[in-house]
Structures are given as structure tokens and as C-alpha cells.
Amino acid sequence: MKTSIGIKLASGFLLTAVLSIVTAGLISNYMIDKRFNQYLKRSHENRIQKVVKTVEDLYSSSEGFAKLDPFEMRRYAVLEDLYIEIRDREGKTIFSSGQGHLIHKKGMGNMMGPMMGRRMTDRVGEYIEEKHSLKHESVIIGTIHIGYFGSWNLTEGDIGFKNTLNQAFALSVAIALLLGLTISIILSKQMTTPLVSITKAANEMKNGNLNIRAEGTVNTLEIEQLARAINYLAESLQQQDMMRKRLTTDMAHEIRTPLTTLQSHIEAMMDGIWEPTVERFESCHEEVLRLKKMSDSLQDLAKLEQAAYPLNKSTFDLSKLLDKIIAAFQAQARKKSIRLLSNIEPGLIVEMDQDKVKQILHNLLSNAYKYSEEKASIEIGLERDSHNIVLTVRDQGAGIDPKDLPYIFERFYRGDLSRNRGTGGAGIGLTIVKGLVDAHGGRITVESERGKGSSFKVFFPIEILLHHEKT
Ligand code: ADP
């Protein structure tokens, strides 16, 4: 059975409170008991010593125990709650207080026993008699027998003290329970209220309302993190949703354009309106190629989606590879009279997947080319710092709208500009770049300003560098 946080917290608190008080109670009860018994024993011994001393003081060398007044002595015995019997050296009883007053007390003790607790009955219950020698100037003058009920003759005051102590413990348990309950109710309220709101938000999201956010003030770190995670989830789901819708319309549009062209061309030729010339077939062929390119891109993407990008690593000179790619790209750049400016740090020997590096640079260069005006420049840089090997591709092209910037690495995302210009891309060039960079343990960033240009930076971890051949 599942229990709520409130009940769990409350029972946890109560259990802790009770256990700690009972433990503290038992330990302190034991300690106090020990000290208390020692104290009682000592005071009993003092009391007996006082009686012995009092009787010894009544003795004189000339008259013996003549000063001893039996009436006074009996009163003293009653007062002290003791049986006193004094014998001379020969063992003859000189005085006996009798046990009447003790027996009376014993009866009372037994009667009060059930009310006062076990100890009093026990102590009052057993009769003990001690025998001590009486001395005068270090000479034995007789013996004294002192009898009483209870090992150390626990008084009612002593028992009262112990009972008060136990009551105090019982009271602390009750107060702790009450406090524990109150605190746990307050704490569980503080925890459950935001959790209920987060659950509500998650349920709303499940039902398709992605505008919902977990709100309210939270002062528990973990719950705040949970609320943030849920809100983040809602935001990314919302973005995904938007991208999915955009993708569907984009794809439909991309496919429809070449298909419509093909359809109209073929129909015109079938109806005899158009002569089937080589140029017309070429135009149809171009459209077919365009469709094929799109399907290839989709296939690339499917590969990308298979998360684990197997890297075929080898050792090569990254600087030389980039120089070669740039040189090969010159032919295309010349079509728009674009200048390629390279600033490549030479001699960077790395262990990477060469084909994937080629594709990264190729995609970034193609984009820079696509979005640049005639006669613009594209800068390509490669340098190392203490933590990274940094590849930069900077253009002076159209720039990226700030509203597009967060999404350009998402699959099929294309800026408005790209679509309006009909640049022909499928919106996955950068998705592939990011996937390949990630596979190498790197990261990619972009800075861009509308009308001024964009700068893509790829940071590869320095670990890929085997050595740096200084020339
Ligand atoms: P596409 O096939 O549309 O170029 P990409 O994934 O390569 O797809 O790029 C996604 C979007 O990012 C593009 O549609 C474009 O809006 C923007 N973009 C990418 N590179 C550049 C660049 N160098 N200059 C301006 N915009 C760019």
C-alpha cells in the first residue's frame, strides 16, 4: 500500500521523538537510580553510625550505661524508625526498644505498596538486623543490634522523588509527541503543496496542455529542481511540438514543388503540348535529383538518429586536411567570387574520424557559401588553446534571426530566409554537424547578427591532439 509523504513524515517524526525520549529516559533513569541508591546507602550508614555514637556517648567508665534512660531511648528508636537492642559485654540485654513501631509501619508499607510502586513494598517488606560493637576509649563495652524494614529504609519522600522523575519523563513523551506531530504537519504541508502542483502540471501536460507550468514558491531544493525539470520538459515538448508541425508543412512543401513541376512537364508532353526535348527531360531530371537529394538527407538523418555514431578513428594531420578541403572548395567559391581566407595553425596531428571531420567542415562551408552575397569573404580558422582545438567558420552573409538561433541545430529546422530563398536545403546540415561534433566529444557554438554574418565555432577536446608538429 502506498502512503502519503505527510503520513510518512508524521510517523517518522513521532517514532524518532518517542525513541529518543524513551532512550534518554531509560539512560537517565538508570544513572539517577544508581546515584540515588549510592546516596541512600551512604545516608543509611551515617544514620546507623549516629545511633552507635549516641549510645556510646551514654556510657561512662564509672557508671556504665547508668545514664541511659529507657524511655528516652525508646522514643529515639521510634523517631528513627529502628529497632534498637543494647547488650553488655556478657551478652545480657540492657535495653530493647521492641519492634511494635516497626511492625505497624510494615503493615502500612504493605498497604501503600500497590500505590507507591514495587520498590517500597520490597524494601519495607524485608526485615534486616545489623550488629555493631560499642566501644569506649577503644575498649569493647558491648554490642548494639539495630533492626529495620527495607534494605536502606526508603522514605516516602524518596519514593515521591522517583515518582516525580517518572512523571516528568511521561510528560516529556507527551509534549514531544505533540510537538513532533505539529512540526511534521507543517513540514509535510510545505512539501506536499508544491508536489501536488507539480503533479497537476504533469497531468495537464499528459492531456496535451503544454502551456502549463509548475508554479508557486518552493523552499525545498530538490522539489524546486523537480519543478524546474518539469517546466523545462514542458518547454522542450512545446518546442518539439512546434518543430513537428513546422516539419510537416516544410516537408509537404519541399516535396510538392518538384512533384508539381514534374507533373506539369510530363502532362504537357503527354498531351502533345510540349515536344519531348532533351532540355525538357533535363529539367525533369533535375527535379528528380532534387527529390533524391532530399531522400538522401533523410537517410543521413536516420543514421544520425541511431545515437551511437561509430567513429572510424585514424591519426592524421588536421591542419593539412583542412587546407585540402579549403583548396577543393575554391572552385565553388569562385562561382560567387567569394574569397576564402584561411588561418590554420599548422602541424596539428590528431586522432579523429577523417570523413566525419570533412563532412563537418564541408557542411559549415556550404552554409557560409549559401547565405553569403557575391564577393563576400569566408574565414576559416584552426587554433589550439589549453583545453580545445577550435575550428571557426565565419561569414559576412545574411546572419541568423535571433528567433531562429536556438533551433538551427534541430533536425529539419530552416530559417525563414533559407525557405524564401529556395536554397534547397532540408534543414539537417547543422543537425548532422552537431551529431558529428558530439560524437568526437566536442561542442559547437554560433554567434550571428542579421545582415552582418555568422560565426560557427567547433571546440574539440584537446585529448584528440596527439602532438603538435612545430614547423
Ligand atoms: P539548411 O539546409 O536549411 O541550410 P541547416 O541545418 O544547414 O539547414 O541550417 C539550418 C538553418 O540555419 C538554415 O535554414 C538557416 O536559416 C540557418 N543557417 C545555417 N547556417 C547559416 C549561415 N552561415 N548563415 C545564415 N544562416 C544560416
Side-chain angles (χ1 to χ4, degrees):
M1 202 192 75
K2 306 263 184 275
T3 34
S4 76
I5 288 191
I7 292 180
K8 276 199 172 162
L9 268 180
S11 37
F13 261 98
L14 294 186
L15 200 70
T16 317
V18 171
L19 279 182
S20 38
I21 290 185
V22 167
T23 318
L26 286 177
I27 292 174
S28 48
N29 221 341
Y30 170 74
M31 300 298 281
I32 290 174
D33 221 41
K34 213 167 124 189
R35 293 302 290 261
F36 195 61
N37 285 345
Q38 280 170 358
Y39 155 78
L40 286 178
K41 195 172 170 203
R42 223 175 308 122
S43 66
H44 167 76
E45 280 164 7
N46 288 344
R47 202 161 139 237
I48 299 292
Q49 276 309 312
K50 215 177 92 196
V51 175
V52 173
K53 180 98 185 33
T54 311
V55 174
E56 280 173 347
D57 285 350
L58 291 173
Y59 184 86
S60 79
S61 323
S62 49
E63 297 171 287
F65 280 109
K67 268 197 277 172
L68 190 144
D69 177 347
F71 181 71
E72 279 295 321
M73 199 61 211
R74 194 176 144 67
R75 253 178 52 136
Y76 180 57
V78 172
L79 206 71
E80 288 290 334
D81 217 5
L82 297 170
Y83 164 69
I84 301 178
E85 184 185 335
I86 303 168
R87 295 183 192 174
D88 64 12
R89 246 182 311 220
E90 282 76 41
K92 203 175 109 230
T93 303
I94 302 169
F95 167 79
S96 167
S97 68
Q99 290 182 337
H101 56 289
L102 297 183
I103 290 158
H104 170 68
K105 178 78 187 226
K106 181 186 178 188
M108 248 179 71
N110 278 341
M111 209 174 72
M112 287 167 74
M115 283 187 293
M116 289 290 198
R118 221 166 60 80
R119 277 176 186 270
M120 181 164 174
T121 337
D122 282 355
R123 292 204 172 150
V124 172
E126 69 193 86
Y127 178 76
I128 295 167
E129 205 171 293
E130 295 176 20
K131 183 179 158 196
H132 294 267
S133 307
L134 292 168
K135 285 179 189 162
H136 182 70
E137 290 163 359
S138 307
V139 179
I140 295 189
I141 50 168
T143 51
I144 180 165
H145 294 247
I146 302 171
Y148 49 85
F149 283 100
S151 47
W152 301 308
N153 221 1
L154 207 63
T155 66
E156 279 166 40
D158 299 336
I159 288 167
F161 173 74
K162 291 192 124 198
N163 280 346
T164 315
L165 213 65
N166 286 334
Q167 275 166 10
F169 283 127
L171 192 69
S172 348
V173 170
I175 291 174
L177 284 182
L178 208 71
L179 280 179
L181 200 68
T182 320
I183 293 173
S184 62
I185 288 174
I186 295 172
L187 274 182
S188 69
K189 261 240 139 29
Q190 280 185 354
M191 284 184 137
T192 45
T193 315
L195 280 178
V196 167
S197 123
I198 292 170
T199 315
K200 220 174 107 192
N203 279 331
E204 287 269 323
M205 278 161 63
K206 188 180 79 186
N207 296 331
N209 177 7
L210 296 176
N211 290 321
I212 192 85
R213 296 291 180 269
E215 268 151 15
T217 45
V218 184
N219 54 14
T220 314
L221 188 67
E222 288 81 358
I223 298 182
E224 197 200 1
Q225 284 168 348
L226 177 66
R228 273 213 219 122
I230 287 281
N231 287 346
Y232 180 76
L233 187 68
E235 246 159 60
S236 31
L237 280 176
Q238 218 171 12
Q239 276 174 17
Q240 298 275 331
D241 198 44
M242 187 197 79
M243 301 239 318
R244 191 176 47 79
K245 287 180 186 147
R246 203 169 159 159
L247 166 72
T248 325
T249 32
D250 276 10
M251 289 296 286
H253 178 258
E254 291 299 322
I255 295 171
R256 199 182 318 112
T257 321
L259 280 181
T260 319
T261 319
L262 274 174
Q263 188 191 8
S264 57
H265 282 25
I266 293 170
E267 278 175 4
M269 287 189 267
M270 276 164 61
D271 294 347
I273 303 170
W274 269 8
E275 282 288 308
T277 61
V278 174
E279 290 80 46
R280 282 179 183 144
F281 275 125
E282 263 173 6
S283 152
C284 287
H285 187 235
E286 249 171 48
E287 294 306 320
V288 172
L289 284 182
R290 199 165 149 198
L291 280 171
K292 186 169 177 293
K293 210 171 111 194
M294 278 182 64
S295 117
D296 287 346
S297 306
L298 284 172
Q299 206 169 19
D300 279 352
L301 194 72
K303 265 194 241 152
L304 187 88
E305 309 266 270
Q306 288 164 0
Y309 236 125
L311 291 185
N312 182 14
K313 285 190 184 176
S314 60
T315 305
F316 61 93
D317 186 329
L318 179 63
S319 317
K320 276 195 184 141
L321 179 77
L322 295 200
D323 282 335
K324 253 203 258 172
I325 301 171
I326 295 165
F329 202 76
Q330 290 286 5
Q332 187 173 350
R334 240 174 262 131
K335 288 188 202 160
K336 273 165 93 173
S337 310
I338 285 175
R339 280 202 307 159
L340 296 182
L341 309 170
S342 74
N343 184 12
I344 309 280
E345 195 167 323
L348 295 180
I349 311 296
V350 296
E351 193 179 21
M352 296 173 89
D353 185 325
Q354 230 182 106
D355 288 339
K356 310 260 162 29
V357 175
K358 269 189 207 163
Q359 195 169 2
I360 292 172
L361 185 59
H362 185 267
N363 284 12
L364 290 177
L365 275 179
S366 305
N367 276 353
Y369 173 83
K370 253 193 298 191
Y371 300 102
S372 288
E373 299 296 332
E374 300 233 334
K375 297 203 177 94
S377 308
I378 298 174
E379 286 169 49
I380 304 107
L382 182 73
E383 59 184 351
R384 60 168 283 193
D385 62 25
S386 46
H387 297 103
N388 305 287
I389 290 185
V390 191
L391 167 68
T392 314
V393 176
R394 180 178 293 122
D395 64 55
Q396 301 169 332
I400 303 167
D401 201 307
K403 82 170 170 34
D404 291 330
L405 217 47
Y407 310 117
I408 56 169
F409 296 105
E410 304 281 352
R411 63 202 146 111
F412 301 118
Y413 191 91
R414 300 176 63 196
D416 289 335
L417 194 80
S418 162
R419 278 179 292 154
N420 297 343
R421 277 188 171 196
T423 41
I428 62 166
L430 286 180
T431 317
I432 291 174
V433 169
K434 186 166 185 305
L436 296 175
V437 170
D438 286 348
H440 279 95
R443 65 193 164 89
I444 181 164
T445 62
V446 56
E447 279 172 29
S448 186
E449 207 179 318
R450 278 306 292 266
K452 291 227 166 128
S454 318
S455 169
F456 286 85
K457 274 192 171 154
V458 179
F459 296 85
F460 291 113
I462 196 74
E463 288 73 35
I464 61 158
L465 182 72
L466 291 184
H467 59 272
H468 192 173
E469 272 175 9
K470 298 253 158 93
T471 45

